[in-house]
Amino acid sequence: MKSAIITGATGFIGSTLVNLLLDSNIKVLALGRKSWAEIDKKRLQENDLLTYCQIDMNEIEALPQKVEALGWNGENCVFYNFAWGGKGKLSDLEVEHQINNIAWSANALKAAKQINCKSFVHVGTMEEAFTSKYLQLDFHKNSEYNRHVVYSVAKMGSRNLLKVLAKEEGIDLMFGTNSHVMGPNDDKDSFLQVTLQKLIDKEELVFSTGEQIFDVISSYDCALAYQLIGEKGKPHQEYWIGSGEARPLKEYVKIMADLYPSGQELQFGKFEYNDISLTLEDFAIDNLTEDTGFTPTMTYEDTVHQLYDWLFKGIY
């Protein structure tokens, strides 16, 4: 890979990948719906190898013309599709907005083919694993509820449609599916980030039993995995991106509390967890490691410290 095009390049993971590729001397065309002036400069800064193109995903089919107008030429180029949006937030229950993403992902793949990208890497979500099991339930007997089901069903739809289109278009397609990604410059109020804030503020710490299996990977390692997939991944393969050390959720909370003790009791089991549970096998990264040589560079403890430094010291 000598160049890359990245949709959603101003987002949390997308921008981390942009910067990693630039540090690796890889030319990047970053796509985003914001103007350059609106972008958080903690995420993207000017670089001789970076070209920014403002484009909304609802017009992504016009990308080949925009690329030509920019005079951007990408040799041995990989197209990364990170862009996904809802009406209010990424994983909301607004059906129309979630379904629109399926068509936009398809148009992105077609545009990638027209620009002569050698491969297309589509970003999945951990919620697809939950939802694939959720949809198999007997709803006359089971009471589990998955709050991300509309978002993840749309993601599953895009995954299946892209498989068909990739064959028709003759472009190599690969998928990355993330475990929970944690690190600096994340503007979402994820469970562990909120927990760290509560520890620092010495708030009450009330949880479910925390027995469900979970996995956390640093944003840097997640981006590194995507770089390696682009460079070494096998066509039409689906890769789980994680730490390779999944464990019960409460263990992550306990480690965080040991690193930043608040004096407050960890109250596990105070409310019921009523969602699908994944297994250790669901989080396996064996094929990612085998095909690309990926191994995480940061421990969970390293990741917590990095998040703390960003949240409370402004260090990054």
Side-chain angles (χ1 to χ4, degrees), residues 258-298:
D258 287 341
L259 293 174
Y260 296 100
S262 69
Q264 296 289 328
E265 178 188 359
L266 300 179
Q267 301 180 58
F268 291 107
K270 287 292 185 178
F271 59 85
E272 183 181 3
Y273 177 77
N274 192 37
D275 200 345
I276 298 297
S277 294
L278 299 184
T279 66
L280 290 173
E281 290 74 19
D282 291 318
F283 291 99
I285 64 169
D286 296 359
N287 63 338
L288 175 63
T289 299
E290 181 178 346
D291 288 355
T292 72
F294 171 78
T295 55
T297 67
M298 295 179 63

Side-chain angles (χ1 to χ4, degrees), residues 167-240:
K167 182 177 180 180
E168 293 179 352
E169 296 288 336
I171 187 171
D172 290 343
L173 172 66
M174 293 168 284
F175 295 95
T177 303
N178 314 324
S179 293
H180 178 68
V181 183
M182 196 165 79
N185 289 322
D186 185 3
D187 56 9
K188 297 184 293 297
D189 56 347
S190 63
F191 168 74
L192 288 174
Q193 186 163 309
V194 170
T195 298
L196 180 57
Q197 183 71 59
K198 288 182 177 180
L199 285 166
I200 301 306
D201 293 341
K202 302 187 184 305
E203 296 181 13
E204 188 177 26
L205 300 166
V206 179
F207 310 103
S208 69
T209 60
E211 294 175 352
Q212 61 269 36
I213 300 298
F214 199 68
D215 187 33
V216 176
I217 185 170
S218 72
S219 54
Y220 174 84
D221 282 334
C222 182
L224 175 60
Y226 278 111
Q227 178 180 354
L228 291 171
I229 290 171
E231 293 174 343
K232 302 178 181 180
K234 294 183 178 179
H236 316 299
Q237 181 60 274
E238 302 187 29
Y239 295 106
W240 191 281

